[in-house]
Amino acid sequence: MRDTFAETLGNALDTDPRLALVLADISADRFTDAARRHPDRVVNLGIREQLMIGVAGGLALAGMRPIAHTFAPFLVERPFEQVKLDLGHQGVGAVLVSSGASYDGSHYGRTHMAPGDVALLDSLPEWTVHVPGHAAEVPPLLESALRQDGNVYLRLSERGNAAARPTGPELQTVRSGSGRSSGVVVAVGPMLERVLAATEDLDVTVAYASTVRPFDREGLNRIVARAGQADVLVVEPYLEGTSAHEVAAALADRRHRQRSLGV
C-alpha cells in the first residue's frame, strides 16, 4: 500500500500545484524523484513530527493542500496536540497518511505500535477516516482526499485482502445471510478476507467498510433490517470497540446486541 501511495501522490504532485508533501524522514526514499521535480512542494523535515503537523497547518493556511506522512504512532499519537490545534482549531484541513498501522511494525518495539490511532482521532470533530483493505483501493481513496478541503486520515497496512473492493462511503454487502434471524458482521479494511473465511459456514451477512468515518449508520440500519436480527459484530484492525458508539447510534431505534473484535 505504501508503494502505491507514493506512486499515486507523485503523479498528483505533477498535475496539481496546490499539493505539498511534508515528510519526517519515513518514506523519503520513495519520493526522491518527486522531490527533484518539485523541491518547493516536497519537504523533509527530519525526525520532527510535531513540526511536520505545524508546517502542514501553515501550508493549509496559505491555501495549499498538505499531505503529511510517516508511521502511524508518529503521525497521530506523538503530534496529537498539533493535530488538534494546528489543523482543527485553526479550521484548516490536511491529509494524514500513515503506514505501519497497529502491529505492522511490532518488531521495532512499542514505539512503533499504534492500535489507538482511529480512536484518538475520534475525539476530534469532522475527520474522514479511510482504511483500505487492498493496495488497489488506495488510489481512489487518496485522490478523493486530495480533492477535499477537510481533514482526512488514510490508514495504510502492510497486509491486506486478496482482492480489492469498490471504495466509497457506504457499507457494501459482500455476503448475504438467509434473512431468517441471521446477524451482521462488519469487516473493516484488511480484515475482510479473514472474516469471510471465519464465517464461511455461518448464516450471517458480511458487510465491508473501507471508510469508517463518517460511519454509514443508515446503511448499517438497512442491512440489519434485511438480515432479520439486530446482532452486529464489528471486526476492526485497531483498538477493540473503536466503532461501538457508531453501531449504537446507527441502531438507536432497534433493540440490538453488539460485540467488537480488534486489538
Tab-separated table of all heavy atoms in Angstrom, residues 85-135:
chain	number	residue	atom	x	y	z
A	85	LEU	N	-4.656	21.381	17.416
A	85	LEU	CA	-4.602	22.839	17.373
A	85	LEU	C	-4.285	23.382	15.974
A	85	LEU	O	-4.999	24.237	15.454
A	85	LEU	CB	-3.566	23.360	18.368
A	85	LEU	CG	-3.830	23.044	19.842
A	85	LEU	CD1	-2.702	23.577	20.704
A	85	LEU	CD2	-5.163	23.595	20.290
A	86	ASP	N	-3.185	22.897	15.375
A	86	ASP	CA	-2.710	23.493	14.123
A	86	ASP	C	-3.609	23.161	12.939
A	86	ASP	O	-3.597	23.882	11.934
A	86	ASP	CB	-1.285	23.031	13.837
A	86	ASP	CG	-0.309	23.522	14.899
A	86	ASP	OD1	-0.727	24.304	15.770
A	86	ASP	OD2	0.869	23.111	14.872
A	87	LEU	N	-4.365	22.069	13.048
A	87	LEU	CA	-5.339	21.743	11.999
A	87	LEU	C	-6.748	22.064	12.469
A	87	LEU	O	-7.407	22.937	11.934
A	87	LEU	CB	-5.215	20.265	11.594
A	87	LEU	CG	-3.870	19.835	11.013
A	87	LEU	CD1	-3.879	18.343	10.692
A	87	LEU	CD2	-3.507	20.635	9.782
A	88	GLY	N	-7.213	21.358	13.510
A	88	GLY	CA	-8.597	21.510	13.932
A	88	GLY	C	-8.947	22.894	14.430
A	88	GLY	O	-9.911	23.518	13.971
A	89	HIS	N	-8.187	23.414	15.384
A	89	HIS	CA	-8.531	24.700	15.989
A	89	HIS	C	-8.401	25.842	14.984
A	89	HIS	O	-9.155	26.819	15.047
A	89	HIS	CB	-7.645	24.968	17.199
A	89	HIS	CG	-7.996	26.228	17.940
A	89	HIS	ND1	-9.207	26.381	18.600
A	89	HIS	CD2	-7.330	27.388	18.113
A	89	HIS	CE1	-9.249	27.586	19.151
A	89	HIS	NE2	-8.134	28.228	18.872
A	90	GLN	N	-7.462	25.724	14.057
A	90	GLN	CA	-7.283	26.777	13.049
A	90	GLN	C	-8.291	26.664	11.906
A	90	GLN	O	-8.337	27.539	11.029
A	90	GLN	CB	-5.860	26.742	12.478
A	90	GLN	CG	-4.807	27.127	13.492
A	90	GLN	CD	-3.449	27.364	12.864
A	90	GLN	OE1	-2.791	28.354	13.154
A	90	GLN	NE2	-3.016	26.463	11.993
A	91	GLY	N	-9.041	25.572	11.900
A	91	GLY	CA	-10.070	25.428	10.884
A	91	GLY	C	-9.534	25.153	9.500
A	91	GLY	O	-10.141	25.568	8.503
A	92	VAL	N	-8.381	24.464	9.418
A	92	VAL	CA	-7.818	24.115	8.118
A	92	VAL	C	-7.731	22.598	7.996
A	92	VAL	O	-7.845	21.871	8.981
A	92	VAL	CB	-6.424	24.749	7.910
A	92	VAL	CG1	-6.529	26.258	7.881
A	92	VAL	CG2	-5.452	24.286	9.001
A	93	GLY	N	-7.509	22.128	6.774
A	93	GLY	CA	-7.507	20.696	6.521
A	93	GLY	C	-6.192	20.198	5.956
A	93	GLY	O	-5.459	20.930	5.296
A	94	ALA	N	-5.925	18.919	6.226
A	94	ALA	CA	-4.746	18.244	5.689
A	94	ALA	C	-5.085	16.772	5.494
A	94	ALA	O	-6.086	16.269	6.012
A	94	ALA	CB	-3.554	18.396	6.631
A	95	VAL	N	-4.238	16.097	4.733
A	95	VAL	CA	-4.362	14.657	4.542
A	95	VAL	C	-3.219	13.993	5.305
A	95	VAL	O	-2.049	14.219	4.985
A	95	VAL	CB	-4.312	14.269	3.052
A	95	VAL	CG1	-4.509	12.764	2.893
A	95	VAL	CG2	-5.350	15.041	2.252
A	96	LEU	N	-3.551	13.202	6.306
A	96	LEU	CA	-2.549	12.444	7.041
A	96	LEU	C	-2.551	11.014	6.516
A	96	LEU	O	-3.598	10.354	6.513
A	96	LEU	CB	-2.847	12.450	8.545
A	96	LEU	CG	-3.046	13.815	9.230
A	96	LEU	CD1	-3.153	13.629	10.737
A	96	LEU	CD2	-1.941	14.783	8.861
A	97	VAL	N	-1.397	10.545	6.071
A	97	VAL	CA	-1.284	9.199	5.517
A	97	VAL	C	-0.272	8.434	6.353
A	97	VAL	O	0.907	8.790	6.395
A	97	VAL	CB	-0.845	9.223	4.042
A	97	VAL	CG1	-0.792	7.793	3.495
A	97	VAL	CG2	-1.798	10.075	3.214
A	98	SER	N	-0.743	7.390	7.012
A	98	SER	CA	0.148	6.615	7.886
A	98	SER	C	0.542	5.305	7.234
A	98	SER	O	-0.087	4.835	6.284
A	98	SER	CB	-0.540	6.332	9.222
A	98	SER	OG	-1.587	5.385	9.064
A	99	SER	N	1.586	4.718	7.787
A	99	SER	CA	1.978	3.360	7.454
A	99	SER	C	2.305	2.676	8.769
A	99	SER	O	2.408	3.312	9.812
A	99	SER	CB	3.190	3.349	6.523
A	99	SER	OG	3.483	2.036	6.106
A	100	GLY	N	2.467	1.355	8.740
A	100	GLY	CA	2.792	0.638	9.972
A	100	GLY	C	1.659	0.652	10.972
A	100	GLY	O	1.868	0.853	12.171
A	101	ALA	N	0.446	0.433	10.513
A	101	ALA	CA	-0.709	0.518	11.392
A	101	ALA	C	-0.716	-0.600	12.433
A	101	ALA	O	-0.245	-1.707	12.191
A	101	ALA	CB	-1.984	0.449	10.557
A	102	SER	N	-1.280	-0.294	13.601
A	102	SER	CA	-1.407	-1.252	14.703
A	102	SER	C	-0.090	-1.960	14.975
A	102	SER	O	0.867	-1.349	15.412
A	102	SER	CB	-2.546	-2.244	14.439
A	102	SER	OG	-3.799	-1.594	14.525
A	103	TYR	N	-0.023	-3.255	14.656
A	103	TYR	CA	1.174	-4.037	14.994
A	103	TYR	C	2.036	-4.356	13.771
A	103	TYR	O	2.888	-5.242	13.830
A	103	TYR	CB	0.769	-5.346	15.691
A	103	TYR	CG	0.215	-5.146	17.078
A	103	TYR	CD1	-0.701	-6.038	17.610
A	103	TYR	CD2	0.610	-4.063	17.862
A	103	TYR	CE1	-1.210	-5.865	18.897
A	103	TYR	CE2	0.101	-3.881	19.131
A	103	TYR	CZ	-0.801	-4.788	19.648
A	103	TYR	OH	-1.301	-4.604	20.916
A	104	ASP	N	1.840	-3.656	12.657
A	104	ASP	CA	2.661	-3.912	11.471
A	104	ASP	C	4.145	-3.735	11.768
A	104	ASP	O	4.990	-4.427	11.210
A	104	ASP	CB	2.256	-2.976	10.330
A	104	ASP	CG	0.969	-3.419	9.643
A	104	ASP	OD1	0.425	-4.459	10.043
A	104	ASP	OD2	0.515	-2.727	8.722
A	105	GLY	N	4.483	-2.770	12.625
A	105	GLY	CA	5.885	-2.520	12.972
A	105	GLY	C	6.255	-3.019	14.350
A	105	GLY	O	7.151	-2.453	14.992
A	106	SER	N	5.594	-4.086	14.795
A	106	SER	CA	5.805	-4.542	16.174
A	106	SER	C	7.240	-4.996	16.442
A	106	SER	O	7.711	-4.943	17.572
A	106	SER	CB	4.841	-5.681	16.499
A	106	SER	OG	5.042	-6.776	15.619
A	107	HIS	N	7.943	-5.410	15.383
A	107	HIS	CA	9.324	-5.864	15.573
A	107	HIS	C	10.257	-4.724	15.964
A	107	HIS	O	11.368	-4.958	16.420
A	107	HIS	CB	9.835	-6.548	14.297
A	107	HIS	CG	9.643	-5.741	13.052
A	107	HIS	ND1	8.406	-5.589	12.464
A	107	HIS	CD2	10.506	-5.041	12.280
A	107	HIS	CE1	8.526	-4.834	11.383
A	107	HIS	NE2	9.781	-4.479	11.246
A	108	TYR	N	9.781	-3.473	15.813
A	108	TYR	CA	10.578	-2.328	16.250
A	108	TYR	C	10.343	-1.990	17.723
A	108	TYR	O	11.027	-1.133	18.272
A	108	TYR	CB	10.237	-1.090	15.411
A	108	TYR	CG	10.669	-1.174	13.967
A	108	TYR	CD1	9.727	-1.121	12.947
A	108	TYR	CD2	12.011	-1.289	13.625
A	108	TYR	CE1	10.117	-1.191	11.612
A	108	TYR	CE2	12.408	-1.351	12.297
A	108	TYR	CZ	11.454	-1.303	11.299
A	108	TYR	OH	11.833	-1.369	9.983
A	109	GLY	N	9.332	-2.600	18.349
A	109	GLY	CA	9.037	-2.304	19.744
A	109	GLY	C	7.789	-1.456	19.895
A	109	GLY	O	7.156	-1.050	18.919
A	110	ARG	N	7.459	-1.160	21.153
A	110	ARG	CA	6.208	-0.466	21.456
A	110	ARG	C	6.142	0.925	20.834
A	110	ARG	O	5.040	1.431	20.575
A	110	ARG	CB	6.039	-0.364	22.983
A	110	ARG	CG	4.701	0.224	23.417
A	110	ARG	CD	3.543	-0.664	23.008
A	110	ARG	NE	2.241	-0.125	23.405
A	110	ARG	CZ	1.470	0.644	22.649
A	110	ARG	NH1	1.886	1.016	21.447
A	110	ARG	NH2	0.290	1.039	23.081
A	111	THR	N	7.269	1.545	20.579
A	111	THR	CA	7.262	2.884	19.982
A	111	THR	C	6.589	2.906	18.619
A	111	THR	O	6.087	3.944	18.194
A	111	THR	CB	8.698	3.417	19.818
A	111	THR	OG1	9.452	2.470	19.044
A	111	THR	CG2	9.352	3.623	21.174
A	112	HIS	N	6.602	1.762	17.924
A	112	HIS	CA	6.083	1.718	16.561
A	112	HIS	C	4.692	1.073	16.472
A	112	HIS	O	4.242	0.741	15.373
A	112	HIS	CB	7.055	0.961	15.659
A	112	HIS	CG	8.270	1.766	15.298
A	112	HIS	ND1	9.160	2.204	16.228
A	112	HIS	CD2	8.732	2.210	14.099
A	112	HIS	CE1	10.135	2.881	15.635
A	112	HIS	NE2	9.889	2.906	14.343
A	113	MET	N	4.016	0.902	17.592
A	113	MET	CA	2.674	0.321	17.594
A	113	MET	C	1.650	1.418	17.833
A	113	MET	O	1.823	2.250	18.723
A	113	MET	CB	2.552	-0.741	18.687
A	113	MET	CG	3.565	-1.856	18.587
A	113	MET	SD	3.384	-2.987	19.994
A	113	MET	CE	4.938	-3.896	19.877
A	114	ALA	N	0.580	1.418	17.056
A	114	ALA	CA	-0.442	2.463	17.193
A	114	ALA	C	-1.841	1.895	16.980
A	114	ALA	O	-2.549	2.292	16.051
A	114	ALA	CB	-0.179	3.604	16.223
A	115	PRO	N	-2.290	0.985	17.829
A	115	PRO	CA	-3.652	0.464	17.668
A	115	PRO	C	-4.736	1.455	18.052
A	115	PRO	O	-5.899	1.244	17.731
A	115	PRO	CB	-3.674	-0.748	18.607
A	115	PRO	CG	-2.661	-0.425	19.654
A	115	PRO	CD	-1.570	0.326	18.943
A	116	GLY	N	-4.375	2.560	18.716
A	116	GLY	CA	-5.380	3.511	19.172
A	116	GLY	C	-5.528	4.749	18.310
A	116	GLY	O	-6.170	5.719	18.728
A	117	ASP	N	-4.961	4.738	17.099
A	117	ASP	CA	-4.945	5.962	16.290
A	117	ASP	C	-6.335	6.430	15.876
A	117	ASP	O	-6.659	7.623	15.968
A	117	ASP	CB	-4.039	5.791	15.059
A	117	ASP	CG	-4.371	4.551	14.240
A	117	ASP	OD1	-5.156	3.695	14.715
A	117	ASP	OD2	-3.831	4.410	13.122
A	118	VAL	N	-7.180	5.517	15.422
A	118	VAL	CA	-8.516	5.923	14.977
A	118	VAL	C	-9.359	6.372	16.169
A	118	VAL	O	-10.102	7.352	16.086
A	118	VAL	CB	-9.206	4.778	14.203
A	118	VAL	CG1	-10.632	5.158	13.822
A	118	VAL	CG2	-8.404	4.429	12.948
A	119	ALA	N	-9.233	5.671	17.287
A	119	ALA	CA	-9.967	6.081	18.487
A	119	ALA	C	-9.538	7.467	18.944
A	119	ALA	O	-10.360	8.268	19.407
A	119	ALA	CB	-9.740	5.059	19.603
A	120	LEU	N	-8.267	7.771	18.817
A	120	LEU	CA	-7.776	9.089	19.216
A	120	LEU	C	-8.342	10.178	18.315
A	120	LEU	O	-8.795	11.227	18.792
A	120	LEU	CB	-6.249	9.102	19.186
A	120	LEU	CG	-5.543	10.308	19.807
A	120	LEU	CD1	-5.947	10.492	21.260
A	120	LEU	CD2	-4.026	10.129	19.699
A	121	LEU	N	-8.344	9.943	17.011
A	121	LEU	CA	-8.915	10.929	16.090
A	121	LEU	C	-10.416	11.078	16.298
A	121	LEU	O	-10.994	12.121	15.980
A	121	LEU	CB	-8.614	10.544	14.646
A	121	LEU	CG	-7.174	10.745	14.184
A	121	LEU	CD1	-7.005	10.252	12.753
A	121	LEU	CD2	-6.750	12.203	14.301
A	122	ASP	N	-11.062	10.044	16.855
A	122	ASP	CA	-12.490	10.125	17.144
A	122	ASP	C	-12.811	11.192	18.181
A	122	ASP	O	-13.959	11.612	18.305
A	122	ASP	CB	-12.997	8.769	17.650
A	122	ASP	CG	-13.887	8.071	16.639
A	122	ASP	OD1	-14.208	8.688	15.603
A	122	ASP	OD2	-14.282	6.916	16.880
A	123	SER	N	-11.809	11.620	18.932
A	123	SER	CA	-12.053	12.660	19.931
A	123	SER	C	-12.065	14.055	19.310
A	123	SER	O	-12.328	15.038	20.009
A	123	SER	CB	-10.986	12.594	21.034
A	123	SER	OG	-9.707	12.951	20.522
A	124	LEU	N	-11.772	14.132	18.013
A	124	LEU	CA	-11.790	15.411	17.289
A	124	LEU	C	-12.949	15.405	16.295
A	124	LEU	O	-13.288	14.365	15.735
A	124	LEU	CB	-10.471	15.619	16.547
A	124	LEU	CG	-9.210	15.616	17.403
A	124	LEU	CD1	-7.977	15.750	16.519
A	124	LEU	CD2	-9.254	16.722	18.446
A	125	PRO	N	-13.544	16.560	16.030
A	125	PRO	CA	-14.704	16.596	15.140
A	125	PRO	C	-14.332	16.588	13.662
A	125	PRO	O	-13.275	17.069	13.268
A	125	PRO	CB	-15.389	17.921	15.513
A	125	PRO	CG	-14.265	18.797	15.982
A	125	PRO	CD	-13.281	17.884	16.665
A	126	GLU	N	-15.231	16.004	12.871
A	126	GLU	CA	-15.253	16.152	11.412
A	126	GLU	C	-14.009	15.608	10.718
A	126	GLU	O	-13.516	16.207	9.760
A	126	GLU	CB	-15.474	17.621	11.041
A	126	GLU	CG	-16.800	18.174	11.538
A	126	GLU	CD	-17.019	19.622	11.164
A	126	GLU	OE1	-16.074	20.254	10.651
A	126	GLU	OE2	-18.130	20.134	11.390
A	127	TRP	N	-13.508	14.468	11.169
A	127	TRP	CA	-12.430	13.789	10.454
A	127	TRP	C	-13.016	12.700	9.566
A	127	TRP	O	-13.916	11.961	9.968
A	127	TRP	CB	-11.430	13.169	11.427
A	127	TRP	CG	-10.373	14.130	11.852
A	127	TRP	CD1	-10.458	15.091	12.820
A	127	TRP	CD2	-9.046	14.238	11.307
A	127	TRP	NE1	-9.287	15.796	12.914
A	127	TRP	CE2	-8.400	15.292	12.002
A	127	TRP	CE3	-8.354	13.552	10.313
A	127	TRP	CZ2	-7.085	15.664	11.717
A	127	TRP	CZ3	-7.054	13.925	10.034
A	127	TRP	CH2	-6.430	14.966	10.718
A	128	THR	N	-12.496	12.593	8.353
A	128	THR	CA	-12.780	11.461	7.480
A	128	THR	C	-11.659	10.451	7.647
A	128	THR	O	-10.480	10.818	7.628
A	128	THR	CB	-12.864	11.906	6.009
A	128	THR	OG1	-13.971	12.813	5.859
A	128	THR	CG2	-13.077	10.713	5.088
A	129	VAL	N	-12.013	9.166	7.818
A	129	VAL	CA	-11.013	8.126	8.047
A	129	VAL	C	-11.231	6.998	7.043
A	129	VAL	O	-12.309	6.393	7.001
A	129	VAL	CB	-11.088	7.572	9.488
A	129	VAL	CG1	-10.058	6.451	9.678
A	129	VAL	CG2	-10.855	8.690	10.507
A	130	HIS	N	-10.195	6.726	6.249
A	130	HIS	CA	-10.213	5.633	5.276
A	130	HIS	C	-9.284	4.522	5.735
A	130	HIS	O	-8.147	4.789	6.166
A	130	HIS	CB	-9.758	6.117	3.902
A	130	HIS	CG	-10.596	7.215	3.307
A	130	HIS	ND1	-11.962	7.119	3.149
A	130	HIS	CD2	-10.242	8.443	2.823
A	130	HIS	CE1	-12.418	8.227	2.587
A	130	HIS	NE2	-11.402	9.041	2.385
A	131	VAL	N	-9.748	3.279	5.610
A	131	VAL	CA	-8.943	2.112	5.983
A	131	VAL	C	-8.987	1.135	4.812
A	131	VAL	O	-9.785	0.188	4.810
A	131	VAL	CB	-9.469	1.455	7.271
A	131	VAL	CG1	-8.519	0.335	7.732
A	131	VAL	CG2	-9.636	2.488	8.387
A	132	PRO	N	-8.165	1.324	3.782
A	132	PRO	CA	-8.218	0.430	2.618
A	132	PRO	C	-7.814	-0.991	2.994
A	132	PRO	O	-6.979	-1.210	3.868
A	132	PRO	CB	-7.209	1.063	1.649
A	132	PRO	CG	-6.299	1.883	2.506
A	132	PRO	CD	-7.144	2.379	3.636
A	133	GLY	N	-8.430	-1.937	2.292
A	133	GLY	CA	-8.120	-3.332	2.536
A	133	GLY	C	-7.226	-3.951	1.485
A	133	GLY	O	-6.865	-5.125	1.581
A	134	HIS	N	-6.855	-3.177	0.464
A	134	HIS	CA	-6.022	-3.685	-0.632
A	134	HIS	C	-5.320	-2.484	-1.259
A	134	HIS	O	-5.846	-1.367	-1.262
A	134	HIS	CB	-6.908	-4.393	-1.659
A	134	HIS	CG	-6.155	-5.120	-2.733
A	134	HIS	ND1	-5.649	-4.480	-3.853
A	134	HIS	CD2	-5.815	-6.434	-2.858
A	134	HIS	CE1	-5.046	-5.374	-4.618
A	134	HIS	NE2	-5.128	-6.564	-4.045
A	135	ALA	N	-4.131	-2.732	-1.818
A	135	ALA	CA	-3.356	-1.638	-2.406
A	135	ALA	C	-4.118	-0.919	-3.512
A	135	ALA	O	-3.998	0.302	-3.674
A	135	ALA	CB	-2.028	-2.172	-2.947
